[in-house]
Amino acid sequence: MSEKVAEAAVRERETAERLRGNGSFYAFDMDRERLAVIWLAKHAEWRRVRDLMTAAGWSVYEPERDAQGSVWAREREERSAGALASHAGFGERRGEEADELRAEVWLSSASSRLVRVVAGRTGLRPSEILAQLAERIVVSEDGTVSVPPFTPSL
């Protein structure tokens, strides 16, 4: 147990030092503040477990007898289950949205001004104006693309 506390203390100190510097942590440059918080929390948890084991006279950690650790583990499992369910729901929605298109469009300044004017008059966002334009596209047999006149609506 003391080696885990010592390792966490070293990692916490190293992370704090690197947080003050400009060096990269690993091949994958992690968010330094997040990594520092993670090691701070791990260090605190290992100290808590060490102190619990010392106070209870345990030679081996017994998670089922650790009331605080059990509550945290249960909460972690609930968060994990919720995240998995959310991810599954996202996958289902992505399947339903497979035919949808999301695009980033760069318009000329003249076109941008026109879209913004229409958006301002209708109370719609520019992206909603463009979506309504796209919904009304007509392609003729010769490949000509046009949009018949329409009034944007909410």
Side-chain angles (χ1 to χ4, degrees), residues 43-70:
H43 187 198
E45 177 59 8
W46 281 117
R47 284 192 315 250
R48 184 194 70 78
V49 169
R50 179 200 58 201
D51 295 345
L52 173 66
M53 288 177 63
T54 301
W58 299 345
S59 59
V60 176
Y61 178 66
E62 301 177 39
E64 63 279 351
R65 293 179 58 196
D66 180 357
Q68 183 63 55
S70 296

Side-chain angles (χ1 to χ4, degrees), residues 107-119:
L107 301 174
S108 69
S109 57
S111 297
S112 294
R113 278 192 295 277
L114 287 172
V115 170
R116 285 191 179 108
V117 167
V118 173

